[in-house]
Amino acid sequence: LAKTTQPISMDSYEGQEVNITCSHNNIATNDYITWYQQFPSQGPRFIIQGYKTKVTNEVASLFIPADRKSSTLSLPRVSLSDTAVYYCLSSPDKLIFGTGTRLQVFP
Amino acid sequence: DAGVTQSPTHLIKTRGQHVTLRCSPISGHKSVSWYQQVLGQGPQFIFQYYEKEERGRGNFPDRFSARQFPNYSSELNVNALLLGDSALYLCASSLGGYNEQFFGPGTRLTVL
């Protein structure tokens, strides 16, 4: 099963751009890269998914290089409400979660 | 639109008992997955069902079982509860395949 590696924690301030990088060296050809956000005592919430190059939606951008061995989630102008755990996954349907990146946004 | 619903929201059991957790997927979703999340860790995959058939099973003992009904709702059963089964149990539904999974609020199980 594909595994991902990401930083355990990150700190930022309101209004800054936050980039969280994830390593997935063993990603399979048919795997998509998916990011979820989770607040305490809630289920994870889908943020964005991509296969290659760049994907952008209303909340984030996802950058995937040509070799697909890593990806970067970009959150523009974070606010306090973006404080959460962010998970990077590379399995298509049976989601394999790691420990995630705990993002703390300060005022 | 109603999201994924789970019941009960909280549950307290004692060691050795069994428990049944329930999940109703989003209307039109045919795939349901179950996850266990212990405090401080990411969710761990337990089961996935699609069209009432088991599509995948995580590394959990046989005390854990599940099923999916004709209306696509699902039950997770855990027998002979252990203290280590205390966790947040999450259900997620999707259209299937590579589609986005939508998670419910979870059931908080405490085993004493």
Side-chain angles (χ1 to χ4, degrees), chain B residues 4-8 19-26 29-35 45-56 64-77 89-94 107:
Chain B
V4 176
T5 58
Q6 294 186 242
S7 62
V19 66
T20 298
L21 310 181
R22 296 177 174 81
C23 172
S24 292
I26 291 172
H29 285 189
K30 299 181 179 180
S31 177
V32 170
S33 299
W34 287 95
Y35 299 83
F45 172 73
I46 309 176
F47 287 108
Q48 184 187 55
Y49 279 79
Y50 181 75
E51 287 281 18
K52 301 177 285 295
E53 292 190 1
E54 184 180 303
R55 284 278 301 277
F64 289 77
S65 64
R67 56 179 175 169
Q68 187 177 33
F69 298 99
N71 66 354
Y72 302 108
S73 67
S74 178
E75 284 183 353
L76 175 70
N77 295 283
Y89 288 85
L90 296 161
C91 171
S93 78
S94 76
T107 294

Side-chain angles (χ1 to χ4, degrees), chain A residues 18 35 47-49 54-63 72-76 86:
Chain A
V18 171
W35 286 79
I47 301 175
I48 198 166
Q49 178 174 279
K54 177 183 175 182
V55 179
T56 298
N57 62 21
E58 63 276 9
V59 297
S61 294
L62 178 60
F63 300 90
T72 299
L73 173 72
S74 181
L75 303 174
Y86 293 81

Side-chain angles (χ1 to χ4, degrees), chain A residues 30 32 36 38 41-44 46 49 87 92-99, chain B residues 35 37 41-45 48 55-56 90 97-98 100-101 103-105 108:
Chain A
N30 63 340
Y32 280 73
Y36 279 79
Q38 187 176 29
S41 298
Q42 294 185 25
F46 174 90
Q49 178 174 279
Y87 295 97
D93 52 358
K94 305 174 188 60
L95 302 181
I96 308 299
F97 288 83
T99 53
Chain B
Y35 299 83
Q37 186 170 27
Q41 298 182 18
Q44 299 299 305
F45 172 73
Q48 184 187 55
R55 284 278 301 277
L90 296 161
Y98 298 170
E100 170 187 351
Q101 295 204 17
F103 284 80
R108 172 73 62 185

Side-chain angles (χ1 to χ4, degrees), chain B residues 9-29:
Chain B
T9 55
H10 295 83
L11 200 54
I12 299 175
K13 292 284 188 178
T14 57
R15 283 179 298 175
Q17 287 187 312
H18 71 273
V19 66
T20 298
L21 310 181
R22 296 177 174 81
C23 172
S24 292
I26 291 172
S27 178
H29 285 189

Side-chain angles (χ1 to χ4, degrees), chain A residues 21 24 26 28 31 41 46 48-49 57 64 78 80 93 100 105:
Chain A
T21 297
H24 27 81
N26 298 319
D31 284 351
S41 298
F46 174 90
I48 198 166
Q49 178 174 279
N57 62 21
I64 305 168
V78 295
L80 295 176
D93 52 358
V105 180

